[in-house]
Amino acid sequence: QVQLVESGGGLVQAGGSLRLSCTASGSIFSISTMAWYRQAPGKQREQVAAITRGSMTIYSDSVRGRFTISRDNAKNTVYLQMNSLKPEDTAVYYCKLFGPYDYWGQGTQVTVSS
């Protein structure tokens, strides 16, 4: 059983920065692709960034150049550094582990004020 726990969300002004963390229990973290998703009110959940076990990364067009995903396998943790935040980045952010089953964290709220 894998559990994912996110942290680091909060309220920030436009142009500010936040760093999200997601720590996983279990032994499959280091061999798993991890991703960050977000869901804004009334919208579908969307993937914003992903990182493979070899640390290859992909980003959605809406965050590329502003967000950076990284991982620390020794800590079973994936990060999302979010810079130059915009009000449209406001959402609940979730981390996901791609494994034999897909595992999701509980989400952390990010609110960007204008």
Side-chain angles (χ1 to χ4, degrees), residues 14-57:
S17 298
L18 284 173
R19 189 176 81 155
L20 307 182
S21 300
C22 172
T23 300
S25 64
S27 60
I28 66 171
F29 176 86
S30 64
I31 63 172
S32 301
T33 293
M34 300 294 299
W36 286 97
Y37 286 70
R38 68 185 181 187
Q39 187 166 20
K43 295 188 176 181
Q44 289 188 334
R45 192 172 296 188
E46 61 170 346
Q47 181 177 296
V48 296
I51 184 166
T52 68
R53 64 180 182 177
S55 294
M56 293 183 63
T57 59

Side-chain angles (χ1 to χ4, degrees), residues 83-111:
N83 298 329
S84 302
L85 282 161
K86 305 175 182 180
E88 51 264 44
D89 294 318
T90 295
V92 178
Y93 284 71
Y94 300 88
C95 67
K96 177 181 178 181
L97 183 150
F98 293 83
Y101 304 95
D102 291 342
Y103 297 94
W104 292 90
Q106 82 286 354
T108 185
Q109 176 70 46
V110 171
T111 303

